[in-house]
Amino acid sequence: MRHIKHASFKGRLVMLGFGSIGKAALPLILRHIDMPAGRVKIISRSADKSGIAQEFGVDFVVQPLDEENFEAVLDAHVSEGDFLLNLSVDVSSLALMMFCWRCGVMYLDTCIEPWPGRYTDPGTPLSRRTNYALREDVLAFRMDKRTGSTAVVTQGANPGLASAFVKQALQDMAIDSGVEFSSPTCHEDWANLARKLDIKAIHIAERDTQVARRRKRRDEFVNTWSVDGFVSEGLQPAELGWGTHENHWPAGAARHGYGCDAAIYLDRPGAATRVRSWTPLEGRYHGFLITHGESISIADHLTVREGGQAIYRPTVHYAYHPCDDAVLSLHELAGKNWEKQNKARILRDDITTGMDELGVLLMGHEKGAYWYGSRLTTKQARELAPHNTATSLQVVAGILGGMVWALKNPRAGVVEPDDLDHKAVMEVARPYLGELTGVRTAWTPLRDRSALFKEDIDPDDPWQFVNFRVV
Ligand code: NAD
C-alpha cells in the first residue's frame, strides 16, 4: 500500500527516548515523512530490547542525558537544519529547546518535562511543581522568539490534538445552533466564539478500556503509556484552568501570583482528586484531575480580556479514567503513601481488547454539552500501524501532525498546540484516530445525583467546578 508523504526532510532527525511513544512513532514517521532511515538516530537511556530500531534500520545510541552532558552529546548528532524529537522523560524540555534555538535545530515534544527531582522535591514550593510554572518558563523564553527555528511544545494527543478538537467542537456547536461566526483566525476569535456559545467548562474526557492478558500483580504499576510519566504527573498538584463564571473557591486552592493567571492549583495530588465527567460510550464516570498542559493553555487561549481584565474564560481540566489496571495501580500507590511500586509494565502487544475514547467535552450551551473526539480500539490501531496500541497511536497522530506542520513552517519560533492550524494538523492525524465523532448530551454533573447523602453542590449552576469535584 502506498502512503502519502506529507513532507520531505533533508536534515537529520534525532529521536530522544525510545519508550512506548518512541517505538510507536518511528514507523509512522518513516511512512509519512520523505527521508531515509539512515538519517534517523535514536538516543536513549537504555538499549532497545524490542528490536524495533533495528527492524527499521535506525542507529541507536545508548546515552542517558543529564544537565552536565546534554549539550556535548547532542552537539555530536545535530546541527543547523536538523530536527530533535523529544520523547523522553526526565530531560528538561526547556534546556533542549534553548539548545535547539541556539543551533537552528527544529524541536518537538509532547510534554514539558523538567530535570529529575522538580516534581518530587518536598522543598520545592507547590506552585513551582506545577505545569503552570513549567509553561510560564517556556513562555518567558519565547518572549522574543516569535520567529527562528520552530519548536512545537506539548504536541501529542493531550496535550496536542485536544486543542484541535476544541476548535472543531466550537465550530460544530456554532453551526448546529445557528450562531454566526466567520472563520476564526486568531486566539481572540476562538475565545469570542467560545464566549458566544456560553461555554463554561471544558473537560478533556478520556476513558481507556484496554485490558491485557495478564492483569496487574501486587507491587506493580501497569499503564498503557509511560509509568514514570504518569506517576510523575499524578503526584504533581491537581491543576485546572479557572473559569470566570466560578462563584466558589475550592478548598486548598491557590493562584500562582505570576504569569498569565489562567489556572489555579490544589494542595493535593491529581492522582487523589476525582471529578465527574462523561464520554459517549462510557456515560458518566469518575476521572482523575491529573494536571496537563492543555488545561492551562486552552484556558489561556480562550480568555477574553477587556481593559486588561479577564471577562471570559472557561474552566478547563483533564478528567482521566486510565485503563482499569492503572486505576488499581494508582490505588495501590496511594495506599503506599505515594511510594512507587517496584515493578512497572507498559501494555502493548499483550492487550487483548479495549479502546481509548479520548475527546473534549464542552459544557454550558443551552442545547446541552458536546463531546468531540476519537474512539480507537487497539485492534484498529494494530491494523493501521505496527507496534501501536489505541493510546500510543492517538499520541503519534498528534506528533506526526505537529512534525509535518513544523517542517512546512520551519521558522515559526516557539509554538503551542493552540497556535497551530488545527485543520492542517487534523488532516495528517485523522487517518489514525479511528472514529472521529461529535455527540450531544443532556448530561450534567447534577443529573441523577444520589439522594443518599447530603452534598456540597450548587443547584443553580451545574457548570460550577464544585459540582464536578468528587469529595
Ligand atoms: P516511556 O517511559 O515509555 O519512555 C521514556 C524514554 O525516555 C525511555 O526510552 C527512556 O530510556 C528514555 N529516557 C529516560 N531518561 C532519559 C535520559 N536521562 N536520557 C535519555 N533518555 C532517557 O515514556 P513514553 O510513554 O514513551 O512517553 C514519552 C513522553 O511522552 C513523556 O514525556 C510522556 O509524558 C509524553 N506523553 C505525552 C502524551 C500526549 O498525548 N501529549 C501521551 C503519552 C506520553
Side-chain angles (χ1 to χ4, degrees), residues 16-22 43-46 63-66 87-91 110-111 113 154-160 225-229 233 346 395:
L16 184 61
F18 201 58
S20 74
I21 304 303
I43 303 176
S44 198
R45 182 178 54 189
S46 40
Q63 175 67 68
L65 297 197
D66 58 34
L87 300 175
S88 65
V89 296
D90 280 350
V91 181
T110 58
C111 172
E113 291 270 342
T154 68
Q155 177 62 29
N158 60 312
W225 59 282
S226 182
V227 169
D228 291 336
E233 68 180 24
I346 302 179
V395 180

Side-chain angles (χ1 to χ4, degrees), residues 111-127:
C111 172
I112 305 177
E113 291 270 342
W115 292 115
R118 173 139 164 202
Y119 293 146
T120 47
D121 172 14
T124 305
L126 270 189
S127 165

